[in-house]
Amino acid sequence: MRDPYEVLGVQKSASAAEIKKAYRQLAKKFHPDRNKDDAKAKERFAEINSAYEIVGDATKKAQFDKGEIGPDGKPRFTGFEGFNAGAGPGGFTRNWRTSGGAPGGEQHYEFHFGNEAAGGRGGFDPSDLFADLFGAGGGRRRAGPQPTRGDDVVATATVPLETVGHGGAARVILPSGRTLEVKIPAGIEDGQQIRLRGQGQPGSMGGEPGDAIVTVKVAPHPHFKLDGRDLRLDLPVTVYEAALGGRIATPTLDGKVELTIPPHSNSGRVLRLRGKGLPASEGKIAGDLYVSLKIMLPETESGDLDARMREWRDAHPYDPRAKMS
């Protein structure tokens, strides 16, 4: 395994906050949810987590910096110097195998067991020493399979605009085929995600399950158009309402309200109803409703209207396109 500082891209002298920041940035970049078809990203994500387990923990970091543990978190064994190296009963001596008997040649160790001259070992069994170092079987101890967290799963919940406006619930089908009911908070925006803890894939070896991440999509509405947290509405008005002005019942997510139409309003004029968009949510203020006037003639022909329009044309001609050169 690589040096954990190198994996996280930080110096050995980095503070705990700097290490944590580097870990979060890398974990976000290489998270399997963002790299579903990249096997190397998944391996990199696992490497990043392993590195942070070492240098993100104050105790393990100190042990690693002192050389007591390796980048895999396991103890390092450099020889037998850690034991009592003095001669005498119950210990061992280190001798030098050279022709002159001086240090500098090949080293070997000789064990001197207590009261060996008297024909006994003083109760010391060397197999106990090796069992402590390398396990009862004589080999290095290896950690068993570790619990692994289950993978996250993704799903989409398509909800009506009215549900977004007032809050409610939606049913989603997970990739496993399981159906869940998701609570939709009022004021949630199109594309926002809801995390359902523990509803993802099960973990292995007793690890915790992953999460279900549900993306909220707002279904198209026959009258309102969603624009961020604002709503837009085309409101049909009569010729005389546009010319004379008045108060018109206008639909909103909370029911109809009266909208004042100024006299001599042209088609396309935009009026605003404050706070009549998506409701306030998660610290965000309520959106507004923008109403665009759309002048409509009667759907049935009217000879009287035609006659009046001809009189108006002859008596009061004007050119609304005069400024369009």
Side-chain angles (χ1 to χ4, degrees), residues 215-235:
T215 301
V216 176
K217 290 292 184 183
V218 181
H221 193 276
H223 306 305
F224 298 106
K225 181 180 179 181
L226 191 59
D227 182 10
R229 302 195 62 78
D230 298 326
L231 295 176
R232 295 189 179 275
L233 170 70
D234 288 337
L235 182 65

Side-chain angles (χ1 to χ4, degrees), residues 26-316:
L26 291 172
K28 183 177 181 181
K29 178 180 179 180
F30 292 99
H31 195 283
D33 288 347
R34 293 191 169 192
N35 305 272
K36 296 184 182 298
D37 300 324
D38 190 346
K40 291 185 177 180
K42 189 173 184 179
E43 295 176 0
R44 184 83 167 91
F45 182 73
E47 183 184 38
I48 292 165
N49 279 297
S50 297
Y52 188 65
E53 286 181 4
I54 299 298
V55 297
D57 181 279
T59 301
K60 292 183 179 179
K61 181 179 183 299
Q63 292 175 331
F64 177 77
D65 292 345
K66 294 177 182 178
E68 296 175 356
I69 62 174
D72 57 357
K74 296 179 181 178
R76 283 175 169 165
F77 297 99
T78 59
F80 296 96
E81 288 82 357
F83 296 91
N84 178 16
F92 61 88
T93 60
R94 180 173 64 186
N95 294 327
W96 303 92
R97 183 178 297 152
T98 62
S99 58
E106 180 182 355
Q107 300 182 40
H108 74 280
Y109 293 89
E110 296 179 357
F111 287 86
H112 297 275
F113 303 105
N115 202 22
E116 200 171 40
R121 293 191 174 185
F124 180 82
D125 186 348
S127 63
D128 294 337
L129 174 64
F130 287 95
D132 289 339
L133 283 175
F134 306 115
R140 290 186 180 274
R141 289 179 178 174
R142 295 183 179 179
Q146 298 296 311
T148 303
R149 182 181 181 276
D151 292 334
D152 294 339
V153 298
V154 295
T156 301
T158 302
V159 298
L161 181 59
E162 288 80 2
T163 300
V164 175
H166 304 105
R171 299 185 72 83
V172 296
I173 301 177
L174 301 181
S176 62
R178 189 157 54 98
T179 301
L180 291 178
E181 185 172 89
V182 182
K183 182 179 180 181
I184 306 297
I188 191 170
E189 295 182 15
D190 183 62
Q192 277 192 262
Q193 294 181 330
I194 299 173
R195 181 179 291 270
L196 304 177
R197 300 287 182 184
Q199 298 299 326
Q201 297 290 350
S204 61
M205 304 300 296
E208 64 178 9
D211 301 333
I213 302 174
V214 180
T215 301
V216 176
K217 290 292 184 183
V218 181
H221 193 276
H223 306 305
F224 298 106
K225 181 180 179 181
L226 191 59
D227 182 10
R229 302 195 62 78
D230 298 326
L231 295 176
R232 295 189 179 275
L233 170 70
D234 288 337
L235 182 65
V237 295
T238 64
V239 174
Y240 49 85
E241 286 172 333
L244 303 176
R247 297 178 67 83
I248 301 177
T250 304
T252 71
L253 288 179
D254 298 322
K256 290 186 176 181
V257 299
E258 285 195 340
L259 176 66
T260 300
I261 306 296
H264 305 289
S265 292
N266 289 316
S267 188
R269 183 170 185 173
V270 179
L271 305 175
R272 180 169 65 174
L273 290 173
R274 294 183 182 275
K276 291 301 181 181
L278 294 187
S281 173
E282 297 181 350
K284 298 179 180 178
I285 63 174
D288 300 328
L289 173 60
Y290 291 88
V291 180
S292 296
L293 303 182
K294 188 176 181 180
I295 299 174
M296 303 291 291
L297 295 175
E299 294 184 358
T300 57
E301 294 185 6
S302 172
D304 183 58
L305 177 62
D306 294 345
R308 290 180 179 273
M309 289 299 99
R310 281 192 289 268
E311 291 177 4
W312 179 267
R313 178 194 62 191
D314 296 338
H316 306 282

